[in-house]
Amino acid sequence: MRLGVMFDRDLPPEQLVPFAKTLDETSVDDLWVVEDLGWTGGVSSAATALAVTSRLRVGIGITPAPLRNPMLLAMELANLARLHPGRLAAGIGHGVGAWMEQVGAAVPSPLALLEETITSVRALLRGESVTLDGKSVRLDGVTLVHKPAVPPPVLAGVKGPRSLALSGRVAQGTILPEGVGPDQLPGVVERIGATEEHELVVFAYLRGTAELDEAAQSLLDGQAEFLGVAPEDVAMASGAAEEAAEWVKSLWAAGADTVVLRPVGADPLGQVRTLLAAL
């Protein structure tokens, strides 16, 4: 059972270094950085966080396959894995459809693109020569010169039934978006259907109060639309520290291997410290 913390996309990038250093001195296992269109790049954020910490695993959540050529992505991940062995986790996803449209990167078959990207990136990280003439990915005998001694795990950031099944087939783990609660996890695990070791990472909102201000409500409304549920059905760890801690434990008990907290509101590190004390 691992516990991670997300460096929220709305935090100024220059706060990443002190944020990462502070987390590195706690009992938290992971720091996850974000790659959302218009905010910041996930690879550069991960490189920065890895360089200023010594213990934390740093996760990239999530690089959009339509924006990342598999060879270039493998080169970036291998570089980080060589510099920081055993401390990187790489998430790859479909990308938000509307965002991909905005930058001319929408593809006719997102499922095929994700499967071909993950399959080829994993093979490249293992040091294999890859030739692939797929529906979306075309590679001709490419190989990494500096393959990592410890290939980083490649996880799929997905939510739909067919994408979850794809993740179980080709990825080493699955990343679920914020708002998924413990009651939903058994069904998710069943849809993934992985036959080998497979890490389930659950992103989860953390709010030190049960009350929602306007900004928090707006965040939940947007996530509800993304998930296709009612706002009141967007799950989160909220209320007193003991209540939030029990909710995190319920995610672990329901099948989550890693819970990644995304603090909502002021003083994100303070919220994390309070929760850690309760845990």
Side-chain angles (χ1 to χ4, degrees), residues 76-256:
E76 296 280 22
L77 298 177
N79 195 30
L80 292 179
R82 291 275 300 218
L83 290 166
H84 309 280
R87 295 183 53 216
L88 176 68
I92 307 175
H94 295 298
V96 176
W99 291 348
M100 298 303 99
E101 290 278 0
Q102 279 185 283
V103 294
V107 294
S109 179
L111 283 167
L113 174 60
L114 185 60
E115 181 163 358
E116 291 168 6
T117 298
I118 290 176
T119 300
S120 55
V121 167
R122 288 191 62 191
L124 288 163
L125 291 172
R126 292 192 297 266
E128 300 173 15
S129 175
V130 176
T131 296
L132 175 62
D133 185 14
K135 289 183 179 180
S136 301
V137 172
R138 289 169 181 78
L139 301 171
D140 184 10
V142 293
T143 311
L144 289 174
V145 174
H146 299 294
K147 74 171 186 176
V150 183
V154 176
L155 301 86
V158 291
K159 61 184 178 73
R162 289 193 297 166
S163 298
L164 290 169
L166 182 155
S167 178
R169 288 197 312 272
V170 304
Q172 291 157 287
T174 300
I175 304 168
L176 299 182
E178 301 91 328
V180 177
D183 292 344
Q184 298 161 270
L185 291 192
V188 168
V189 172
E190 184 177 352
R191 290 190 186 97
I192 292 170
T195 57
E196 300 179 355
E197 186 175 344
H198 191 93
E199 181 181 4
L200 181 59
V201 178
V202 180
F203 288 175
Y205 291 119
L206 171 66
R207 184 165 173 79
T209 174
E211 298 179 0
L212 297 176
D213 58 19
E214 185 176 344
Q217 187 61 60
S218 176
L219 179 68
L220 290 191
D221 290 344
Q223 191 66 3
E225 183 177 356
F226 174 68
L227 294 174
V229 300
E232 58 270 20
D233 292 331
V234 177
M236 68 161 51
S238 62
E242 292 74 16
E243 295 176 77
E246 288 303 316
W247 193 83
V248 170
K249 291 177 184 177
S250 71
L251 286 173
W252 284 326

Side-chain angles (χ1 to χ4, degrees), residues 4-23:
V5 175
M6 181 186 296
F7 182 75
D8 193 275
R9 66 187 188 182
D10 287 332
L11 291 172
E14 58 270 21
Q15 290 184 14
L16 175 58
V17 168
F19 191 98
K21 287 182 175 179
T22 299
L23 275 187

